[in-house]
Amino acid sequence: MSVLGFDLDGVIFKTPFYGILRMWNIDMFLYSIFGNISVVKQLFYKSTKINKKVVRLLNKMSIKNDILIISARPKRDLELVKKLLLDNKIFFTKIYLRPKGINSLKFKINKIQEAGVFLYFEDKKSIADKIKKICLVMLYKNGHFISI
């Protein structure tokens, strides 16, 4: 059995801020500012779409592997993330979300190392390039996975 890691935004989830804001890397920055407002948070999670192609793959892989969700989403959103995953029948072993004040990249790298992740699925090339130094990485771009 292998340990596989998945990012949320841009891999499993298509967030409401996906597109130009994601491309400029300011989607989660905006959410970090306005995400404490209850109405904004509820709207954000209700309008998050699921990447069905990735979920089919993830669910097949979960039969023989441990699936870890390792995301830079704030830890304060853990229950909302779990609900979204469970409501959409997305199988996982554990979820790790970033504690406040911790750098996103450092958080992901530390969790990947601690958990012994063999293969990680990421959508941002700059992050994938750093993670590939510690495990195999599949970059998700334009509906396809690319080994880097």
Side-chain angles (χ1 to χ4, degrees):
M1 184 176 285
S2 295
V3 179
L4 308 179
F6 284 81
D7 183 30
L8 284 177
D9 300 306
V11 178
I12 296 173
F13 293 163
K14 298 177 185 178
T15 64
F17 301 134
Y18 209 78
I20 195 75
L21 295 179
R22 182 94 174 132
M23 187 176 75
W24 289 342
N25 210 21
I26 59 174
D27 57 334
M28 293 311 287
F29 171 73
L30 289 174
Y31 182 73
S32 70
I33 293 170
F34 299 109
N36 284 326
I37 302 168
S38 182
V39 173
V40 172
K41 186 183 286 192
Q42 293 303 321
L43 181 62
F44 180 85
Y45 278 94
K46 283 183 181 180
S47 57
T48 295
K49 304 285 186 239
I50 303 301
N51 187 335
K52 292 178 182 177
K53 179 180 177 180
V54 172
V55 170
R56 279 193 301 275
L57 173 69
L58 181 154
N59 284 343
K60 282 182 186 177
M61 294 175 118
S62 73
I63 296 168
K64 294 187 177 182
N65 301 285
D66 285 334
I67 303 295
L68 305 184
I69 307 297
I70 303 172
S71 172
R73 283 213 179 184
K75 193 172 186 173
R76 69 173 188 250
D77 290 0
L78 182 61
E79 292 309 312
L80 290 166
V81 170
K82 277 185 182 177
K83 181 175 178 5
L84 192 56
L85 292 168
L86 294 172
D87 286 352
N88 286 282
K89 297 175 178 59
I90 300 170
F91 304 120
F92 59 91
T93 308
K94 279 190 170 179
I95 301 174
Y96 298 102
L97 301 182
R98 183 182 51 83
K100 188 175 182 172
I102 305 279
N103 172 279
S104 298
L105 178 60
K106 285 182 183 178
F107 168 74
K108 283 186 178 184
I109 287 173
N110 287 341
K111 283 299 171 195
I112 288 167
Q113 286 178 318
E114 284 174 18
V117 172
F118 171 73
L119 174 62
Y120 189 75
F121 297 84
E122 172 65 52
D123 67 309
K124 291 184 179 174
K125 184 157 182 359
S126 61
I127 293 174
D129 284 340
K130 300 279 195 265
I131 292 173
K132 75 179 182 182
K133 295 174 184 172
I134 57 171
C135 73
L136 297 174
V137 177
M138 295 298 283
L139 182 67
Y140 187 74
K141 283 289 173 204
N142 303 318
H144 303 284
F145 284 109
I146 304 160
S147 177
I148 63 163

